[in-house]
Amino acid sequence: MVELVSGANTDLAGSELSLSLPGPFDLSALVLGADGRVSGDRDMVFYNQPNAAGVTLRDTPEARVIDLNLARLRPGAERVVLVASPADGTSSFGRLPPPLATVRAAGRPVATLRPPRLDAQTALQIAECYRRGGRWKIRALGQGYADGLAGLARDFGIEVEEPPAPARASAPAPASARGPVPGPGRRLPAPGPAGDVLLEVLELTNAERARFGLAPLSAEPRLAAAAARHSADMAARGFFAHETPEGVGVAGRVVSCGYVYAVVAENIAAGQRTAREVVAGWMDSPGHRANILRPEVRQLGVGRAEGGEYGVYWTQVFGTPR
């Protein structure tokens, strides 16, 4: 087994390998074309979208692991960049143990990846698999970003738009009744029947979190914009899925609304007529319940749209900013 420091590379004997990273870290992957850019949301693999063609993210008791089958990447893929970030969404690498990753092939360790000393960075390119002369190689990188996803977005062609102006809101209730009062630039949902229902979803979600000793979520207008757009899109175009027919997922939606995230997750539902009914349904579903009770999320946006086959479509988008 070899140790690869930043810039060092080695040949891969086959097309199947895995990279594991123990410790308090998240892993993600970006699949890039010959232009060094992602082609869309399906090229991003992370907690809430753990699979892409040839790429799978999974957890083991010891580490987070990304499995690669380079022969099965989407057409046109030339590189896969593997990225680490602190799991709590708030720490910098300088406050954590070194992120030492291990590369395995056929279950056997073939290389360890040792990054340079890190400090204020909150995202790190660990390594890249790339094609050279018809063969696949792996290179240790060690490129860190103090601005997290924004830096990755800048380098890999992920569009980040300015956030839309938030709607005016009624005065928030006391924090003890409705969760924390939003800070500057944060508004509660708009007043009126629709806003009241969305606010009720937030209240009921925070009530469920309180039952398990978790901190309440605050309303976030950019997450709400992403949720509203997805609910309206499902109602208008007659689909019910986390990805649009074009393959756009929650990560792309929140980034396009100007939200730079450390953690993002999404719940959807259709047909429930009341806020209480939809939150109860989510809590009865293990995957949706896990998102509601995820300790590291800090903010929530809720969307609701009427129409389509089911009559009403709901979306919750959870996030923790960089």
Side-chain angles (χ1 to χ4, degrees), residues 14-17 31-32 42-43 45 51-56 67-80 129 131 136:
S15 61
E16 297 185 38
L17 68 149
V31 180
L32 310 177
R42 291 187 181 184
D43 283 350
V45 174
N51 296 286
V55 186
T56 300
D67 298 314
L68 297 174
N69 187 330
L70 300 170
R72 294 187 177 181
L73 296 177
R74 55 103 171 152
E78 293 290 332
R79 293 169 57 202
V80 179
C129 296
R131 199 193 308 265
W136 285 96

Side-chain angles (χ1 to χ4, degrees), residues 101-213:
T102 301
V103 179
R104 289 178 172 81
R108 299 178 59 184
V110 296
T112 58
L113 304 174
R114 181 176 294 278
R117 184 174 180 178
L118 301 167
D119 187 12
Q121 296 88 345
T122 54
L124 171 71
Q125 291 185 43
I126 300 176
E128 64 174 352
C129 296
Y130 62 100
R131 199 193 308 265
R132 181 65 55 82
R135 295 177 59 87
W136 285 96
K137 302 170 72 76
I138 187 167
R139 175 187 290 124
L141 294 177
Q143 171 66 52
Y145 299 84
D147 51 353
L149 179 64
L152 288 168
R154 181 178 61 245
D155 282 359
F156 297 120
I158 302 169
E159 296 294 332
V160 181
E161 299 176 1
E162 290 298 315
R168 291 191 174 274
S170 55
S176 60
R178 297 185 185 267
V181 176
R186 301 291 186 265
R187 303 269 189 238
L188 291 172
D196 289 346
V197 170
L198 301 184
L199 183 57
E200 188 180 359
V201 172
L202 174 63
E203 292 173 341
L204 291 168
T205 298
N206 280 336
E208 294 293 347
R209 289 175 63 87
R211 289 175 53 211
F212 292 86

Side-chain angles (χ1 to χ4, degrees), residues 311-322:
V312 60
Y313 293 77
W314 305 80
T315 304
Q316 281 183 312
V317 180
F318 304 85
T320 298
R322 288 288 184 189

Side-chain angles (χ1 to χ4, degrees), residues 215-254:
L217 305 177
S218 60
E220 214 298 326
R222 291 165 293 186
L223 297 181
R229 291 177 187 178
H230 193 50
S231 290
D233 195 21
M234 289 190 292
R237 295 203 285 167
F239 70 95
F240 180 64
H242 290 287
E243 286 193 351
T244 69
E246 297 78 26
V248 179
V250 62
R253 287 190 287 274
V254 301

Side-chain angles (χ1 to χ4, degrees), residues 14-57:
S15 61
E16 297 185 38
L17 68 149
S18 66
L19 181 141
S20 61
L21 180 63
F25 305 108
D26 279 331
L27 270 178
S28 55
L30 301 173
V31 180
L32 310 177
D35 61 354
R37 292 172 171 261
V38 297
S39 64
D41 288 311
R42 291 187 181 184
D43 283 350
M44 296 182 282
V45 174
F46 63 107
Y47 166 81
N48 211 46
Q49 185 171 280
N51 296 286
V55 186
T56 300
L57 171 65

